[in-house]
Amino acid sequence: MNKIAIIGLGYVGLPLALEFAKKYPTYGFDINKSRVAELSSGKDHTLEADEEELKASTITFTCKPEEIADCNIYIVGVPTPTDKHHKPDLTPLYKASETVGKLLNEGDIVIYESTVYPGVTEEECVPVLEKYSGMKFNEGFFCGYSPERINPGDKVNTLTKIVKITSGSTPEIADRVDALYNSILENGTHKASSIKVAEAAKVIENSQRDINIAFVNELAKIFTYLDIDTLDVLEAAGTKWNFLPFRPGLVGGHCIGVDPYYLAQKAQEIGYHPEIILAGRRMNDGMGEWLAGEVVKLMIKKQLAVKDAKVLVLGITFKENCPDIRNTKVINVVDELNDYGCQVDVYDPWAGAEEVKAEYGIELCQNLEDDYSAVVLAVAHDEFRTLNIGMHTVENAVVYDIKGVLDRHFVTDRL
């Protein structure tokens, strides 16, 4: 019988644990004691699960490795970030592999879901598992890879409703991994021909999206200089049957702004310089600073003082109607406005104040002032669509709509 341990209880691990627990004995393991305590009490600050669902679940949440020692399937869903130089940081993956390696028994399967570049599972993780288990790969233990496709805040394309890629280290294990995921999915799986194929498929999904957004971001810059409304252009072009409906904006989060660097790293290791991938990253990583500059230019045109000007930034999460602040690029807008000498307030009813303070050093404002010289809508939370921005601004204030969701009659400019 399958007895499953989910390693890492974030946006990836928790939905997995909840679904597998409906069919199998399931343990949720995390090294963060406060996270384990939170989930055990039926609460989830990521909002991926509600209290009733958590309280009704049979999951055993734990931060003690010994409590998952008799499981026979370990599914690893820990973060795979990049460092300040945009280099992949596999430390969480190594640590998780060490923890699991010490627990492995004959015949166990370790399945990785973390986003990586092709080769990480077999070339980086397997040696760690072998070292700490004392067993040989594909003899004592086996591996699989099934990349996560979690979209934080998305209540439509949830875990059970998507097609899941699966793979295994032998044909027999590939079949077992595929059957395991098929047991909880409504739309089935795609069994990849190898673990490396599955890894590569995941990393190009978000790289493709990143490049397409970079293209429309470049278009937005060009059209700004030509005094043409970018969204009007995209709407017109979108009437063609095969035009792709991408929009310009800030590209952050745990996937799109990170995954291309993983693929670029592997390409560079084999001596190939990935020009398009890195060009897209440069374009998207620089959008925050460029947008802040556009806001300042508009303030100058309106003869508003920039130094010590009060500026309100609406939103700090990386996407709308979601509390996830990981790798948000709104911080680049905030930092650049601060560098211009502005006094920036950040308001976001979705973000956790303590988490924002710890991660970015920003004190979220709880009460909006009524004399802002500029307002920047950075995240399209539903609450902002009906906010009476005019109540909080000085006469002739700049209102810049990065997301293009406000009534254009009340907006000075938009991306």
Side-chain angles (χ1 to χ4, degrees), residues 223-243:
F223 293 143
T224 294
Y225 299 140
L226 294 175
D227 197 26
I228 301 173
D229 188 284
T230 303
L231 298 186
D232 282 349
V233 175
L234 294 176
E235 182 180 357
T239 59
K240 188 181 180 187
W241 63 91
N242 60 353
F243 187 83

Side-chain angles (χ1 to χ4, degrees), residues 14 22 56 58 65 68 89 112 149 164 188 208 211 227 232 236 257 287 293 315 345 360 384 390 396 398 411:
L14 180 59
K22 295 174 182 177
T58 60
I68 59 172
D89 181 4
Y112 290 91
R149 280 176 167 168
K164 199 93 158 60
Q208 180 191 67
I211 290 167
D227 197 26
D232 282 349
M287 283 302 290
D345 282 350
Y360 300 111
F384 298 156
N396 204 34
V398 168
V411 171

Side-chain angles (χ1 to χ4, degrees), residues 266-331:
K266 188 62 177 179
Q268 289 168 332
E269 285 180 5
I270 60 174
Y272 180 80
H273 180 72
E275 296 183 24
I276 294 176
I277 293 172
L278 291 179
R281 282 284 72 236
R282 286 192 297 273
M283 173 60 65
N284 289 340
D285 276 348
M287 283 302 290
E289 289 84 352
W290 183 82
L291 286 164
E294 290 302 297
V295 173
V296 169
K297 287 178 186 177
L298 291 170
M299 292 173 68
I300 293 171
K301 287 179 181 178
K302 284 176 169 276
Q303 298 184 336
L304 294 166
V306 174
K307 183 173 174 53
D308 297 324
K310 294 185 68 175
V311 177
L312 174 64
V313 173
L314 295 173
I316 189 67
T317 62
F318 92 88
K319 64 179 292 187
E320 66 275 6
N321 304 327
C322 170
D324 195 347
I325 64 169
R326 291 175 296 172
N327 194 36
T328 176
K329 294 305 178 182
V330 180
I331 189 64

